Amino acid sequence: QVQVAESGGGLVNSGGSLRLSCVVTGRMLSVNVRRWYRLAPGKQRELIATITSDGYTHYADSVKGRFTVSEDNNKNTIHLQMNSLKPEDTAIYYCAANVNIEGGTYGYWGPGTQVTVTS
């Protein structure tokens, strides 16, 4: 059973920083792509950052230059470094992973972690 878990959310003042982590565990062959999404109250879910297994990264315009996604050497954990946070970054942040297991490739989601930025 593959599991995805986020951590690192919390309450921060505008202009501050937070570092989110996403770990993928369980019986799997490899992880292809991991993505960070966020869901803010009254808004649609937004894809904000992507990292592939070969290190390609992509960011939404809303976070470009402020957020950085990276991968640990163990390949099972990625991080989202969030700097210059704004109140509009307040949301639940989710990590999603495309995982290769015996029998195919499947998508898995974590339960999310709350980020609240106060003005």
Side-chain angles (χ1 to χ4, degrees):
Q1 181 76 9
V2 174
Q3 292 186 322
V4 178
E6 307 94 342
S7 62
L11 180 68
V12 64
N13 291 332
S14 181
S17 298
L18 280 175
R19 189 189 194 213
L20 305 184
S21 298
C22 168
V23 59
V24 182
T25 58
R27 188 177 179 90
M28 57 187 166
L29 300 175
S30 61
V31 181
N32 289 338
V33 181
R34 279 157 291 187
R35 299 180 175 91
W36 285 100
Y37 292 83
R38 66 185 181 186
L39 182 61
K43 296 185 178 180
Q44 291 187 331
R45 185 177 64 192
E46 180 186 15
L47 171 61
I48 58 171
T50 299
I51 185 166
T52 66
S53 57
D54 57 2
Y56 168 82
T57 58
H58 186 268
Y59 301 92
D61 288 343
S62 59
V63 306
K64 196 173 295 182
R66 300 187 298 124
F67 291 11
T68 303
V69 60
S70 61
E71 183 181 41
D72 273 1
N73 289 335
N74 66 19
K75 304 290 186 181
N76 288 345
T77 302
I78 63 168
H79 305 284
L80 184 68
Q81 179 66 43
M82 307 187 296
N83 298 328
S84 303
L85 283 163
K86 307 173 183 178
E88 51 263 44
D89 293 317
T90 295
I92 301 175
Y93 284 69
Y94 297 91
C95 179
N98 283 6
V99 180
N100 294 322
I101 63 173
E102 292 184 6
T105 300
Y106 298 89
Y108 296 87
W109 289 78
T113 185
Q114 176 71 47
V115 171
T116 302
V117 184
T118 60
S119 57

